[in-house]
Amino acid sequence: MPYFDTASAAPLHPVARQALLAALDEGWADPARLYREGRRARLLLDAAREAAAEAVGCRPDELVFTSSGTTAVHAGIAGALSGRRRVGRHLALSAVEHSSVLHSAAAHGAAGGSFTEVPVERSGAVDPAAYAGALRADTALACLQSANHEVGTEQPVAEVAALCAEAGVPLLVDAAQSLGWGPVAGRWSLLTASAHKWGGPAGVGLLAVRKGVRFAPQGPAGERESGRAPGFENLPAIVAAAASLRAVREEAAAEAVRLRALVGRIRSVVAERVGDVEVVGDPERRLPHLVTFSCLYVDGETLLHELDRHGFSVSSGSSCTSSTLEPSHVLKAMGVLSEGNVRVSLPMGTAEADVDRFLDVLPGLVAEVRERLGAPVSAPPSPAPVASLVVDALGRRCPIPVIELAKVIGEVPVGATVTVLADDEAARLDIPAWCEMREQEYVGEEPADRGSAYVVRRLS
């Protein structure tokens, strides 16, 4: 069964498995003790730290192991903000950061601090100049991911890092998605990552803090990991994480070329065969293994279930696949279509035949889902003499409001409007996206007794 969701968690690398089993026998003792077993464990921990630091591009004494990538993010942000509290309490971050960064920002705001979310372009990347404009005299820390976890767009980290350095603001880079492919360029100050993203075991994160960065660990003080990651080290998992990071780096150059070609094939073939689809993310500055597309008039959850039934494991950012009934904050910030969203992230070693079979199966499944939902399958009918229409889609979830709009847009003459009443949060994103795809005019959103009224003018 092809597993195409390595952006969530990569399969355990064979080297990680071997290292984990060996370390279970050799690395069970307390590395802080001076007896033989403790010294042996300490040697394993030191070797793992050196290997991880080499991959990150920092000194071994600048890197600590945490219990997860999320823990590393929370500890890194809290420690940097506390260490620079005399400068101020302002935090800058991009609007498409991982939820762990957003949660840290929200907690900082609730505690009396402030933060600015820098908007992104439609490709998902920040404009370095716009990011620099968000830096203030009281900015204590800036955060920018190396590459986006949902659409694969690489961020201009080196450019932003240089601007942050000029402003005297440390930059924390969340490198969870990219570290397995190579080191992060630029003058970053702090870096975080998560082992299960590159094929290491879950439950191991990395936090690197450059020398000279003011950093004050939060919470009760601990004796281990420089006081930045409390608790007993999971040494077997740490050894496996470092060993697998080194192994995937050795394979990365060749695999990046191969997977980039497969992803490029997905990007082009999906657009050709599916129709009414938006391939999102930067087509060039992107991770080699990840592609995301959104299918108009499609229920994302149903599509994912159908793909799973046919043997494909993929992910989605559609609101109808989440418990919040809200579209992905990443897709929302980019202003792209969210309904029928599919994220494909290929693990190393993915067979070309599996990708071909995915591309053979996908168009038929999309057509089936659209047919079930009653989506329009032909050109709109000739305009009738109707000045305007109101579509009541209240209480109906994605993608029904957009489907109902598409059904009636041809019933009004060019220049007339259709007003869609909807209380689904995704409509705020998907109706303007539909207008752009269909070359119709999105007039705007108006208040309504329930939900919102979205006004669309027919242009053609």
Side-chain angles (χ1 to χ4, degrees):
M1 177 174 176
Y3 177 78
F4 288 172
D5 194 24
T6 191
S8 293
L12 192 66
H13 194 282
V15 168
R17 185 183 301 277
Q18 295 169 5
L20 180 63
L21 293 175
L24 287 171
D25 292 331
E26 299 294 328
W28 51 266
D30 187 346
R33 301 306 171 206
L34 300 179
Y35 42 70
R36 181 181 55 215
E37 294 85 356
R39 294 197 304 272
R40 184 187 303 139
R42 185 72 199 187
L43 287 173
L44 289 174
L45 180 58
D46 289 345
R49 197 183 313 279
E50 289 177 5
E54 181 181 5
V56 168
C58 66
R59 293 169 33 166
D61 60 352
E62 293 175 328
L63 184 143
V64 299
F65 295 103
T66 67
S67 59
S68 69
T70 293
T71 301
V73 166
H74 292 171
I77 292 177
L81 287 173
S82 179
R84 286 173 48 83
R85 60 187 177 276
R86 292 184 178 178
V87 173
R89 303 196 64 192
H90 178 250
L91 172 67
L93 65 153
S94 83
V96 294
E97 295 297 314
H98 187 266
S99 59
S100 59
V101 176
L102 300 184
H103 293 160
S104 287
H108 177 62
S114 62
F115 62 91
T116 299
E117 288 190 7
V118 182
V120 296
E121 300 169 346
R122 195 172 178 84
S123 67
V126 299
D127 177 3
Y131 202 105
L135 303 178
R136 310 185 326 205
D138 63 339
T139 301
L141 178 66
C143 298
L144 182 64
Q145 58 190 190
S146 54
N148 188 260
H149 50 292
E150 290 194 26
V151 300
T153 297
E154 293 180 335
Q155 298 290 354
V157 172
E159 296 94 322
V160 171
L163 294 169
C164 287
E166 290 178 12
V169 177
L171 176 68
L172 182 148
V173 177
D174 170 16
Q177 290 296 333
S178 73
L179 192 60
W181 298 104
V184 177
R187 297 162 60 188
W188 52 265
S189 302
L190 303 95
L191 182 143
T192 63
S194 185
H196 74 278
K197 302 295 187 181
W198 66 69
V204 179
L206 306 180
L207 170 60
V209 182
R210 297 283 198 193
K211 293 294 182 182
V213 176
R214 292 186 178 275
F215 192 89
Q218 298 302 285
E223 296 81 19
R224 301 176 186 275
E225 295 301 298
S226 304
R228 294 174 182 174
F232 196 92
E233 297 95 344
N234 185 351
L235 186 52
I238 288 172
V239 170
S244 58
L245 179 55
R246 174 177 286 178
V248 298
R249 280 291 188 81
E250 292 174 353
E251 305 165 1
E255 272 296 276
V257 173
R258 197 178 70 85
L259 294 183
R260 187 174 290 276
L262 291 179
V263 165
R265 175 167 167 74
I266 294 173
R267 293 180 66 92
S268 60
V269 172
V270 165
E272 292 169 2
R273 295 183 185 176
V274 175
D276 291 328
V277 68
E278 182 176 12
V279 182
V280 301
D282 195 296
E284 300 298 332
R285 291 191 59 166
R286 57 177 173 83
L287 293 171
H289 69 300
L290 195 155
V291 57
T292 299
F293 54 89
S294 298
C295 305
L296 198 61
Y297 314 135
V298 169
D299 177 348
E301 184 172 6
T302 301
L303 181 57
L304 261 59
H305 284 319
E306 289 299 317
L307 285 168
D308 179 57
R309 193 166 62 85
H310 283 74
F312 295 98
S313 302
V314 299
S315 185
S316 174
S318 293
S319 60
C320 40
T321 61
S322 69
S323 59
T324 63
L325 295 179
E326 292 186 5
S328 149
H329 71 277
V330 173
L331 301 179
K332 189 174 182 179
M334 293 169 63
V336 297
L337 184 70
S338 75
E339 63 188 48
N341 179 260
V342 175
R343 180 185 70 181
V344 175
S345 48
L346 307 177
M348 290 186 173
T350 295
E352 184 176 354
D354 288 337
V355 172
D356 288 340
R357 189 164 71 85
F358 173 79
L359 293 172
D360 288 339
V361 167
L362 179 70
L365 296 182
V366 171
E368 289 177 14
V369 174
R370 285 173 172 165
E371 184 177 3
R372 288 184 214 169
L373 294 172
V377 294
S378 58
S382 300
V386 179
S388 63
L389 280 176
V390 176
V391 174
D392 186 352
L394 293 168
R396 310 185 75 182
R397 300 302 178 190
C398 71
I400 300 302
V402 179
I403 290 176
E404 295 302 315
L405 166 62
K407 286 180 177 179
V408 303
I409 190 69
E411 297 179 13
V412 300
V414 172
T417 61
V418 174
T419 300
V420 182
L421 302 178
D423 52 7
D424 178 19
E425 180 65 25
R428 182 168 286 114
L429 181 63
D430 290 346
I431 289 176
W434 179 89
C435 290
E436 182 165 336
M437 294 175 71
R438 283 288 181 267
E439 297 183 341
Q440 307 297 338
E441 179 185 355
Y442 177 63
V443 178
E445 178 182 350
E446 299 176 354
D449 292 338
R450 286 178 53 205
S452 297
Y454 302 95
V455 182
V456 176
R457 177 174 288 109
R458 183 182 177 191
L459 298 182
S460 60

